[in-house]
Amino acid sequence: MVTLPTTFTWGAATAAFQIEGDRAGRGETTWDAFCRVPGAVQDGTDGDVTCDHVNRYREDVRIMRDLGVGAYRFSVAWARVQPTGRGDFSAEGLGFYDRLVDELLGAGIEPWLTLYHWDLPVELQLQGGWASRRVVDPFVEYALGVQEALGDRVKRWATHNEPWCAAWLGYGGGIHAPGIRDHALATRATHHLLLSHGRAVAAMREQDADAAYGIVLNLDNVRATDDEAVTRAALPAYDAVRNRVWLDALAGRGYPADALDLLAPHLDGATVVGDMEQIATPVDFLGLNYYNDERLEAADGQVPVGDTVQPGMERVRTADPGAGATAMDWPVTPEGFTDVLRRLQAEYAELGPVYVTENGSAWDDDPTPSADGVIEDPDRVAYLQDHLRALEQARAEGVDVRGYFAWSLLDNFEWALGLSKRFGLVRVDFETQERTVKRSWHAYREHIAASGTARAAEPEAAAGA
Ligand code: IFM
């Protein structure tokens, strides 16, 4: 275990499939296949080009350096470095990350590497994907191979990004790749994602005891917007599957009893003696992705069991977010951000200091820059500032939170919503690949500079700044 610095880390985050492009340079993933399913991605776009980051990473690192961030969270595309998810590593694929890491370090930016952000090599899906235990060994091999190539310079590792999404959107609701709707498979995927995390951390730590290891969870608070008994009854089940299954298992408490009420039949035969101990391999930090709280209300009828994204939600639905919702139709709930941070401190301190590894918002930006060449995005600025205040509140109360990564550096491929939803601090014109900074980029830059922990930025100007 390593001790992470107490100085606050300011960063920006992205993920491989969402920005890299260069489809020819990697193997096929479940998301490539999913994008070809008619209607699966709302605007019919795919991950073939997106932000063309593989060819433009130098410009993107320059934009980050000018922003003043001290850290960049990115993910490695498994199929770029190991095209079929097993066997030989691609020197070309690893070469890209090698150059990226050097470029970052040269700009004074620390690389924070996530191993898995949802782009599973399709060959592994043919063997069952995360629903099969057969994926666990390949994931550990992949982790060790990437670490062997980059571990001399990369010292911050996250295994999985938002495994709830990988399991429940991918195998439960069928909204994400691989597009399966089966609660039994989603439950097994939950277990295998966790198991692969614990085994990879243990193996990587053996290879490099000086690096820090963690996992990134998307957590939220669930609130009732009405006083119906069915809504109140659904809250613990939501919290169990969304939040506590992951947190409790990682903290060595096993799966929570109320989650097992819903999931145990599906886990039958999937858990092996010793798994829970491996899942609870100690971590050095916990990554928190926070966007908004979930607000539930009673539904008119009852959805058949197995037809909801996760179990226990048969008699409720997500409440209308009301005025001020983001372009994702997500409510803006900064107070919930403070609450999640407080909860982690109060209930899960053994998972180490928290790093907010994603927080941000999508809005329908006006693409015409103002006179100074900046895209005006007042709603994103307000969201950012409200959440930075909520973060400061938690810190003031003594929550051990040591970093914040804005999602996202660039407009990018927003999964089943394609290129239509823009989360970036920097606008990307997907026709020309031109990058133009938004007002939120300036707001974040000023916040970092004012915090006194900014890295000394070079004088060169960012795109459109
Ligand atoms: O774009 C995603 C990201 O890949 C994972 N966290 C949530 C973001 C916004 O939906």
Side-chain angles (χ1 to χ4, degrees):
M1 302 282 292
V2 302
T3 307
L4 284 151
T6 49
T7 47
F8 200 80
T9 296
W10 294 107
T14 66
F17 193 86
Q18 295 181 270
I19 65 161
E20 283 184 358
D22 184 36
R23 171 67 189 83
R26 60 168 172 77
E28 166 100 348
T29 71
T30 47
W31 266 96
D32 297 307
F34 191 66
C35 288
R36 290 195 298 272
V37 175
V41 174
Q42 205 181 66
D43 62 0
T45 54
D46 57 35
D48 288 4
V49 180
T50 59
C51 306
D52 193 29
H53 172 73
V54 163
N55 297 308
R56 295 168 196 269
Y57 70 93
R58 286 200 176 88
E59 179 182 355
D60 295 338
V61 171
R62 210 161 52 235
I63 292 170
M64 280 190 273
R65 187 197 57 192
D66 293 346
L67 177 58
V69 289
Y72 173 49
R73 173 174 176 248
F74 64 99
S75 76
V76 168
W78 189 342
R80 188 176 297 288
V81 301
Q82 225 183 356
T84 62
R86 290 225 81 161
D88 292 344
F89 280 77
S90 153
E92 216 176 297
L94 284 172
F96 165 63
Y97 297 107
D98 196 59
R99 291 190 295 280
L100 172 63
V101 164
D102 282 347
E103 191 74 14
L104 288 166
L105 292 171
I109 300 171
E110 186 176 40
W112 281 62
L113 190 154
T114 300
L115 286 161
Y116 186 73
H117 198 124
W118 310 348
D119 40 359
L120 189 72
V122 86
E123 280 76 3
L124 295 175
Q125 187 58 45
L126 295 175
Q127 299 175 15
W130 291 106
S132 164
R133 199 176 177 93
R134 295 172 73 183
V135 73
V136 175
D137 284 344
F139 181 75
V140 177
E141 273 170 36
Y142 156 65
L144 289 174
V146 175
Q147 190 180 37
E148 221 165 89
L150 306 176
D152 56 333
R153 288 152 292 155
V154 175
K155 298 293 173 189
R156 307 286 181 247
W157 297 82
T159 51
H160 291 286
N161 178 73
E162 302 183 0
W164 177 88
C165 295
W168 291 99
L169 296 182
Y171 295 80
I175 298 162
H176 279 188
I180 292 171
R181 293 165 58 97
D182 183 325
H183 285 183
L185 296 185
T187 303
R188 284 161 180 265
T190 297
H191 185 68
H192 298 137
L193 284 155
L194 281 166
L195 183 61
S196 67
H197 152 80
R199 295 227 353 238
V201 167
M204 286 195 291
R205 203 189 295 286
E206 219 165 276
Q207 206 163 251
D208 183 0
D210 296 330
Y213 304 95
I215 186 169
V216 171
L217 303 179
N218 53 319
L219 307 171
D220 58 21
N221 308 287
V222 58
R223 324 262 194 202
T225 60
D226 60 25
D227 199 27
E228 301 293 321
V230 289
T231 314
R232 288 197 309 274
L235 303 183
Y238 175 94
D239 185 51
V241 178
R242 174 66 179 254
N243 300 318
R244 284 182 281 114
V245 155
W246 312 95
L247 291 164
D248 283 17
L250 292 163
R253 303 176 202 167
Y255 293 132
D258 52 354
L260 284 175
D261 288 346
L262 297 163
L263 305 180
H266 305 317
L267 272 176
D268 222 17
T271 49
V272 170
V273 177
D275 281 5
M276 298 315 288
E277 287 73 23
Q278 294 191 55
I279 288 172
T281 301
V283 287
D284 302 291
F285 67 91
L286 177 67
L288 164 67
N289 291 357
Y290 180 85
Y291 287 87
N292 59 277
D293 281 352
E294 185 70 12
R295 297 178 183 176
L296 299 179
E297 65 185 12
D300 298 333
Q302 170 150 359
V303 177
V305 171
D307 277 7
T308 53
V309 168
Q310 67 178 55
M313 300 293 106
E314 293 78 18
R315 303 191 61 193
V316 288
R317 64 179 172 217
T318 300
D320 186 324
T326 72
M328 299 290 283
D329 250 348
W330 294 346
V332 178
T333 56
E335 64 288 351
F337 188 22
T338 316
D339 286 345
V340 171
L341 288 163
R342 286 184 186 121
R343 181 185 191 183
L344 292 177
Q345 179 78 27
E347 298 176 30
Y348 296 99
E350 67 268 51
L351 294 177
V354 175
Y355 287 79
V356 178
T357 33
E358 286 181 29
N359 173 246
S361 57
W363 302 94
D364 296 324
D365 301 326
D366 178 346
T368 315
S370 54
D372 58 355
V374 175
I375 302 283
E376 297 300 339
D377 58 343
D379 293 321
R380 190 175 291 98
V381 171
Y383 179 100
L384 173 72
Q385 290 176 338
D386 287 349
H387 285 76
L388 289 172
R389 266 192 293 276
L391 170 75
E392 289 314 323
Q393 175 64 34
R395 290 180 72 190
E397 290 175 21
V399 176
D400 189 3
V401 50
R402 300 196 194 171
Y404 175 94
F405 292 72
W407 183 271
S408 178
L409 178 69
L410 304 171
D411 288 341
N412 59 51
F413 179 81
E414 178 53 27
W415 307 110
L417 300 171
L419 296 174
S420 66
K421 300 295 174 200
R422 293 177 176 273
F423 273 91
L425 299 175
V426 177
R427 182 176 179 86
V428 176
D429 179 326
F430 295 112
E431 297 295 317
T432 63
Q433 291 299 339
E434 190 186 357
R435 272 80 163 137
T436 310
V437 297
K438 303 182 190 177
R439 193 61 66 196
S440 54
W441 181 93
H442 283 280
Y444 189 36
R445 183 181 192 232
E446 280 156 24
H447 186 90
I448 296 171
S451 79
T453 52
R455 191 183 39 73
E458 305 291 323
E460 200 174 326

